Amino acid sequence: MVCVGILLSFHVVVPYTVPQYVFSGLIMFVSAEVLEGVNLSLLSRVMSSRLSRGTYNGGLLSTEAGTIARVIADATITVAGYLGRDMLLNVTLLPSLVICVLSIVATCFTYNSMY
């Protein structure tokens, strides 16, 4: 569903509209939040017990991973801005689409060995 939301966000042929933005953003946000909950639940099951205590625990690590992701996203938006306003939307969505597709492919290839 995240991939569908990303694909609906691209500005390809027809003019980009407010309903398209709202609908695709809603699909992406809700789907990403669901995935985050599932991923953190799975992470808590496989995480070492040493990471559940002290200052450098799993919560801090997931927070830092989110911060690094935001920094990378901000840098991507800045670099995409140099390409011009017309290409800004598609260029910033492209890395998300690539990561989403690669995640789906990796899951398909490794699904049976994940338990």
Side-chain angles (χ1 to χ4, degrees):
M1 287 307 295
V2 173
C3 207
V4 169
I6 293 170
L7 288 172
L8 289 175
S9 295
F10 276 94
H11 175 223
V12 183
V13 179
V14 296
Y16 196 67
T17 61
V18 172
Q20 178 185 0
Y21 171 77
V22 171
F23 187 66
S24 62
L26 184 67
I27 290 173
M28 274 192 295
F29 178 76
V30 171
S31 301
E33 289 300 312
V34 169
L35 277 175
E36 182 181 15
V38 171
N39 287 338
L40 289 178
S41 174
L42 290 172
L43 180 64
S44 70
R45 291 177 184 226
V46 298
M47 187 172 57
S48 170
S49 63
R50 293 185 322 179
L51 289 176
S52 62
R53 315 176 237 122
T55 305
Y56 300 107
N57 57 25
L60 175 70
L61 294 176
S62 66
T63 302
E64 292 304 315
T67 302
I68 291 170
R70 281 186 208 88
V71 168
I72 293 170
D74 289 343
T76 303
I77 292 169
T78 302
V79 170
Y82 289 116
L83 297 175
R85 241 173 95 188
D86 296 337
M87 297 187 62
L88 185 62
L89 179 67
N90 290 344
V91 170
T92 55
L93 286 172
L94 203 57
S96 299
L97 182 64
V98 169
I99 290 169
C100 189
V101 169
L102 288 177
S103 297
I104 292 170
V105 169
T107 301
C108 288
F109 279 115
T110 61
Y111 185 76
N112 290 329
S113 65
M114 285 189 186
Y115 49 88

